[in-house]
Amino acid sequence: MSSSDTIRLLLIHDVPSEAQRLVSMLHNAGRPNRAQHVATEAVLVKLLQDKTWDLLIAAEGSQNLAPAKALRTIQKMQKDVPVLLLSERSGAQPVVEGLKLGARDVVTVDEDQHLLLVIQREMQALENRRQARLHDRRYHATLQRTKELLDSSKDAIAYISDGLIVYANDSFAERFGYKSNDDVEFQPLIDMLAEGEREEAREFLKQCAIDNNDVEAQEWKFTANTASGSPLPTTAEVLSTIYDEERCLQVRIASGSGDTEQLEAQISDIKNRDPLTGLYNRQHFLRVLDSTINSIAGSPRTGGLLYLEIDRFEETVRGPVGVAGADALQKKVAELLQSGLRRGDVVARYGDDSFCLLMSETTPDSAERRTSELLKKISDTIFEVVGKTVQVTASVGISLLSEASGSGEKVLNQAIKAHAEALQKNSNGNSFALYEPDAEQPDDANTYRRARVAQALDAGTLKLLYQPVLSLQGSGEHIYEVLVRLVDGKEELAPVSFLEGIGDTALSTKMDRWVILNSMKAAAAQRAAGKPVILLLHLTAASLLDSGLPAWLGVAFKAAKVSPNSVVFQLRQEDINSNLHAARDFTMQVQDLGCRVAVCHFGIGLNPFKSLEHVKVDIAKVDPSFVREIQDEGESSETLANLVKELGATGTRVIVPHIEQASMLPTLWQTGTDYIQGYYVQAPADEMAFDFNIE
């Protein structure tokens, strides 16, 4: 779980002010959360039934709902919700008692830094457990598919553990004259050999188990006794592997006989192929990757590796179409990848939902262009599987190969890291990232980026993007949210969040004013052309505390010849909660000028409506986590619908952001949502050129 992800938090505390302090502390520490206070066991049961929760924090001495009862409820319902206890007592005793109850940890009250570190640890552990469960489901689905392939194989295959045949397919039994595999399973393999060869065979199999080689099979020639007692000369391949979660030996006898070079080549090729897609398998690909790196080491060539993973495979593919449909989709994706191969390319299936493409020669720009084309080709393709149509996207990590690459494993790990970076940039997928070693030096990078922001402000070279906010109720307003980016080579950095993260208030206020002035100039040009645009401008906490900003704005409006009613200032809810008096004063002052005020990330915290009693905002943009629950996690839209309706009842207009799917629109329309924003409407663009008149 990323540190920027919203934590879904349950709180058990008899003192509401202390519970609110915990929420505010988390927000101030950069851990956004949607908190729910729990007062009774019945409420806890309903919350656990209705939603997925990330964390529960309980006061050790809570009387309304005892932590021990809450822990028993969570355990009884078999929910994976880590529980942290807050204790007034110090020392080891409360920790021991809490751990015995089933809590993950016990933290002394007011030890906020300790609590934050524990939360970070538990969130990472929770994410690891969720990923482990996902991989476990995939693993067992793969085992089932493998079992089906083994059962239907014409090759004679058996698995040997401690000398016993723990599995044999029907082909194995038939080869030695038995009616079915039941006649040979759990029998000693040695008993099926000619008596004079048994001791030598025992030593050979023992050595194979010791070598534990799961890549290259060893040839084994022996004479077997058939069920009728006649001798049968046999040639097999022996490979160390895993069967039924136990280390064992696989004995495989090819269905055909003969020693021709053509047959040997066919056997070798089969051994290197993924049985489902026909692509090279992981083991062979890693050997090819190492070989390619060795060949590049002595030359100035640069190669490239693409690590491609289908986005949200479990939710978008396996869930809707099942295992058979998922297999069919993998085949079709493999065919799509093969259709675009170029000279020197090697493509392989790496995992259940991942592929690798090796380019023997490329450049960074060429690799990125090709990746972009490949991702578009995948997203534009409508796949037909098991009588249904499926559309998927993928994300890619790119790593370059050069004389400094070292091993294939290192290059592959770099590509996988780049894939993770791509998902961080766009959690919805359909993105890519190029691995760059400098990204692993965060301290140096922060210093460098801060200097680059300061330089860009002085030179006026920051970049403004505009994303339309579309009215669902036909208000006729042409609203654009203004986003600022620092173009640093190939990277586009969002300086607002970056500078807030490092606490550079001077640069934050300077940048806010730069954005205000330059976006006003752009708006003035639009309005002069007859386009009545309205700007949605984000302000940092530093500007909220800048008492001189309202007066400066009055001068700026006159200088830019822009009416104040064409600007909406957007404040984060956590900034309002942490600076309630400053937010109230600023809001009243800019509203007196004629501007409107919006709050973003609305809905987080214990009582988000409490702040609206003091700070009268005109528009509320709900937190993106509400939308992600519906779009990405398939949860009910009831919570979002209730929030929108409650805001509407207060006379506050509502923006629902991060809309990626048309399926969200009927729900939002029915709830009375005023505006929507997201890639479904339009991605951020360099110009304010959106057609607000389209249906």
Side-chain angles (χ1 to χ4, degrees):
M1 176 178 283
S2 168
S3 61
S4 61
D5 288 344
T6 302
I7 300 174
R8 286 169 288 197
L9 174 66
L10 297 173
L11 282 172
I12 298 175
H13 209 296
D14 292 345
V15 183
S17 60
E18 181 60 21
Q20 184 59 55
R21 189 196 73 80
L22 286 171
V23 171
S24 300
M25 182 272 293
L26 285 170
H27 285 309
N28 294 336
R31 294 309 308 252
N33 61 85
R34 281 171 48 198
Q36 177 71 50
H37 187 263
V38 185
T40 66
E41 185 179 9
V43 170
L44 178 61
V45 169
K46 187 174 189 311
L47 288 170
L48 293 174
Q49 288 173 335
D50 291 347
K51 286 186 178 301
T52 300
W53 297 92
D54 301 321
L55 181 68
L56 186 150
I57 300 178
E60 181 188 43
S62 176
Q63 299 295 317
N64 293 332
L65 175 58
K69 184 176 290 187
L71 280 160
R72 284 196 300 272
T73 300
I74 291 172
Q75 292 162 1
K76 183 171 64 176
M77 296 180 68
Q78 298 187 38
K79 297 291 185 179
D80 187 2
V81 181
V83 176
L84 302 180
L85 298 184
L86 299 179
S87 177
E88 297 280 358
R89 300 177 292 160
S90 59
Q93 188 59 32
V95 178
V96 172
E97 293 173 2
L99 294 179
K100 283 183 176 180
L101 286 175
R104 296 283 177 175
D105 209 339
V106 179
V107 180
T108 304
V109 171
D110 293 334
E111 293 288 346
D112 291 348
Q113 289 302 312
H114 183 193
L115 179 61
L116 286 170
L117 290 172
V118 171
I119 289 173
Q120 177 64 30
R121 181 194 69 201
E122 290 305 319
M123 290 300 93
Q124 185 59 57
L126 178 65
E127 179 64 18
N128 291 341
R129 291 196 299 276
R130 287 173 174 169
Q131 287 296 318
R133 287 193 289 268
L134 173 61
H135 293 317
D136 190 56
R137 291 195 297 271
R138 292 175 176 175
Y139 169 68
H140 284 94
T142 302
L143 283 182
Q144 181 60 34
R145 187 164 58 246
T146 303
K147 178 70 164 52
E148 292 169 359
L149 290 170
L150 288 171
D151 290 342
S152 62
S153 175
K154 293 183 179 180
D155 289 348
I157 300 174
Y159 287 92
I160 315 301
S161 177
D162 293 330
L164 292 180
I165 302 173
V166 293
Y167 166 83
N169 62 5
D170 286 337
S171 297
F172 187 89
E174 290 169 4
R175 175 171 288 272
F176 298 106
Y178 295 93
K179 292 181 179 180
S180 74
N181 58 350
D182 291 336
D183 295 328
V184 295
E185 284 185 349
F186 300 103
Q187 302 299 318
L189 175 64
I190 297 299
D191 289 355
M192 298 178 63
L193 274 57
E195 193 167 339
E197 298 182 14
R198 292 179 182 177
E199 191 59 37
E200 183 180 347
R202 187 177 284 107
E203 289 300 319
F204 171 78
L205 294 174
K206 180 180 178 182
Q207 191 59 47
C208 287
I210 293 172
D211 291 343
N212 197 18
N213 187 348
D214 57 1
V215 177
E216 293 291 343
Q218 297 189 53
E219 185 180 72
W220 179 30
K221 293 185 177 181
F222 60 93
T223 303
N225 288 327
T226 65
S228 62
S230 57
L232 177 64
T234 304
T235 300
E237 288 183 338
V238 180
L239 188 74
S240 179
T241 187
I242 299 291
Y243 179 77
D244 200 18
E245 302 183 6
E246 296 289 341
R247 174 64 64 179
C248 62
L249 296 176
Q250 181 196 75
V251 177
R252 173 181 167 273
I253 305 166
S255 59
S257 58
D259 299 321
T260 65
E261 292 182 4
Q262 182 179 5
L263 181 59
E264 290 295 328
Q266 290 175 348
I267 292 173
S268 177
D269 188 58
I270 291 172
K271 194 168 60 176
N272 295 331
R273 297 281 179 182
D274 170 56
L276 177 65
T277 63
L279 301 180
Y280 285 125
N281 58 29
R282 180 192 302 197
Q283 290 83 0
H284 181 71
F285 179 76
L286 290 174
R287 292 195 293 270
V288 172
L289 179 58
D290 280 326
S291 176
T292 303
I293 291 173
N294 290 335
S295 67
I296 287 176
S299 73
R301 281 193 298 128
T302 299
L305 171 65
L306 308 186
Y307 174 81
L308 181 149
E309 194 168 291
I310 299 172
D311 295 323
R312 302 184 302 280
F313 185 74
E314 193 75 15
E315 296 81 4
T316 60
V317 180
R318 199 188 302 280
V321 298
V323 174
D327 287 351
L329 180 80
Q330 293 283 25
K331 291 179 183 179
K332 291 185 180 292
V333 172
E335 292 169 1
L336 184 147
L337 293 174
Q338 285 179 307
S339 68
L341 291 182
R342 302 176 185 176
R343 185 176 179 181
D345 288 350
V346 177
V347 65
R349 186 182 184 200
Y350 185 77
D352 197 33
D353 56 350
S354 59
F355 300 85
C356 286
L357 174 62
L358 176 63
M359 300 172 287
S360 59
E361 191 163 357
T362 189
T363 64
D365 289 341
S366 177
E368 289 183 329
R369 280 196 303 272
R370 188 170 178 189
T371 301
S372 181
E373 293 167 1
L374 177 59
L375 292 183
K376 187 176 188 306
K377 188 175 181 181
I378 291 173
S379 63
D380 288 347
T381 301
I382 299 176
F383 298 96
E384 292 189 7
V385 295
V386 294
K388 297 181 181 179
T389 57
V390 177
Q391 279 189 284
V392 298
T393 60
S395 296
V396 173
I398 310 168
S399 180
L400 299 179
L401 286 66
S402 70
E403 70 278 358
S405 290
S407 67
E409 183 179 1
K410 176 183 175 183
V411 172
L412 185 58
N413 286 337
Q414 291 172 352
I416 292 173
K417 283 183 180 178
H419 173 266
E421 291 172 11
L423 291 179
Q424 286 181 351
K425 289 194 300 184
N426 187 350
S427 60
N428 292 317
N430 200 26
S431 59
F432 67 90
L434 175 68
Y435 176 82
E436 296 185 34
D438 289 343
E440 294 188 340
Q441 307 297 329
D443 292 337
D444 294 342
N446 284 353
T447 302
Y448 169 72
R449 287 170 174 172
R450 180 165 21 194
R452 289 282 285 118
V453 172
Q455 180 183 350
L457 279 169
D458 292 337
T461 56
L462 288 170
K463 177 181 179 181
L464 293 181
L465 298 176
Y466 306 93
Q467 186 172 34
V469 179
L470 184 64
S471 171
L472 280 184
Q473 309 300 329
S475 69
E477 295 172 296
H478 295 189
I479 303 176
Y480 289 93
E481 180 168 9
V482 181
L483 307 170
V484 60
R485 295 289 183 267
L486 168 63
V487 181
D488 185 8
K490 292 175 184 174
E491 181 180 25
E492 282 198 0
L493 176 70
V496 178
S497 58
F498 169 71
L499 291 176
E500 285 181 339
I502 61 175
D504 198 322
T505 56
L507 271 180
S508 293
T509 53
K510 186 176 182 180
M511 185 181 60
D512 280 350
R513 295 194 180 198
W514 184 93
V515 172
I516 291 169
L517 281 177
N518 284 274
S519 58
M520 280 185 179
K521 290 178 184 177
Q526 291 286 318
R527 296 179 77 88
K531 299 178 180 179
V533 300
I534 297 173
L535 302 177
L536 182 60
L537 296 172
H538 176 81
L539 289 182
T540 63
S543 288
L544 189 60
L545 297 171
D546 182 2
S547 59
L549 180 61
W552 179 87
L553 286 172
V555 176
F557 283 127
K558 292 178 182 178
K561 297 181 180 179
V562 171
S563 172
N565 62 17
S566 64
V567 174
V568 182
F569 289 108
Q570 181 173 247
L571 312 173
R572 295 191 307 175
Q573 183 175 1
E574 52 264 45
D575 291 340
I576 292 177
N577 292 339
S578 301
N579 308 280
L580 203 56
H581 294 298
R584 180 195 59 196
D585 295 344
F586 172 82
T587 299
M588 293 173 61
Q589 288 173 305
V590 296
Q591 286 173 337
D592 287 343
L593 288 174
C595 303
R596 285 182 287 176
V597 176
V599 55
C600 63
H601 295 285
F602 187 80
I604 58 179
L606 271 178
N607 188 357
F609 286 89
K610 189 70 176 176
S611 61
L612 299 189
E613 297 175 5
H614 305 278
V615 180
K616 304 297 183 183
V617 301
D618 304 281
I619 301 171
K621 182 193 289 186
V622 302
D623 188 71
S625 62
F626 289 94
V627 181
R628 282 197 295 267
E629 286 177 357
I630 303 169
Q631 290 185 153
D632 300 342
E633 300 170 21
E635 293 193 9
S636 168
S637 59
E638 182 181 359
T639 302
L640 176 60
N642 290 338
L643 183 66
V644 172
K645 288 178 180 177
E646 195 169 352
L647 281 167
T650 67
T652 306
R653 293 190 173 185
V654 181
I655 300 174
V656 177
H658 288 234
I659 301 299
E660 313 292 343
Q661 302 168 5
S663 59
M664 289 286 296
L665 299 186
T667 298
L668 298 178
W669 179 273
Q670 292 170 8
T671 60
T673 296
D674 297 283
Y675 309 98
I676 60 172
Q677 181 183 12
Y679 277 65
Y680 173 75
V681 178
Q682 182 180 283
D686 294 334
E687 304 290 339
M688 289 184 273
F690 181 73
D691 184 1
F692 285 91
N693 296 316
I694 61 174
E695 294 293 333

